[in-house]
Amino acid sequence: KSQLDKSTVRESQLDASKVDKESLQAELDEMAEEWGNTSRMLDRQAGELKASQGELAVALAGISDLEHAAAAAKADYDRLQTEAVSLRAEYETVRSDAISARA
């Protein structure tokens, strides 16, 4: 009977070991699926980040273009302002000459 009890205990242990292995395998499978989902999510987010970086680069290039255009417009404004002052002085000279010629 002792041999039979040992055999039954051993079978019981083997069954418990098999259940543990199956349980562990199920947990590992679940973890692998979660890691796969996380990996796909991170890949998607990385793609979105790269797209955002591209959009940002385009926006920064546009800002740089606008800055150059603003600087050119400011230079034109300054030049026109100088011309206006010069023309005003010339007008005053001509006006003064005309008044003197009439007198």
Side-chain angles (χ1 to χ4, degrees):
K1 182 171 180 177
S2 175
Q3 187 65 23
L4 184 59
D5 287 343
K6 285 182 181 177
S7 178
T8 303
V9 167
R10 181 73 181 137
E11 283 179 24
S12 214
Q13 288 173 337
L14 288 173
D15 287 345
S17 175
K18 185 177 179 186
V19 167
D20 285 347
K21 284 181 181 177
E22 289 173 356
S23 175
L24 284 173
Q25 186 60 49
E27 283 184 49
L28 287 173
D29 290 346
E30 186 177 320
M31 289 173 69
E33 184 178 339
E34 287 176 13
W35 277 106
N37 291 339
T38 301
S39 177
R40 284 187 293 280
M41 180 188 68
L42 290 173
D43 287 344
R44 187 184 73 248
Q45 288 177 345
E48 291 171 359
L49 180 58
K50 283 184 181 180
S52 294
Q53 286 174 329
E55 291 170 4
L56 180 58
V58 168
L60 289 174
I63 289 170
S64 180
D65 290 346
L66 289 174
E67 287 174 337
H68 288 111
K74 173 74 168 107
D76 286 346
Y77 171 81
D78 290 345
R79 182 183 51 78
L80 290 172
Q81 190 72 15
T82 302
E83 271 186 47
V85 168
S86 177
L87 288 172
R88 180 69 184 185
E90 189 177 326
Y91 165 78
E92 290 299 331
T93 301
V94 170
R95 182 173 174 259
S96 178
D97 290 348
I99 290 173
S100 294
R102 281 190 210 152

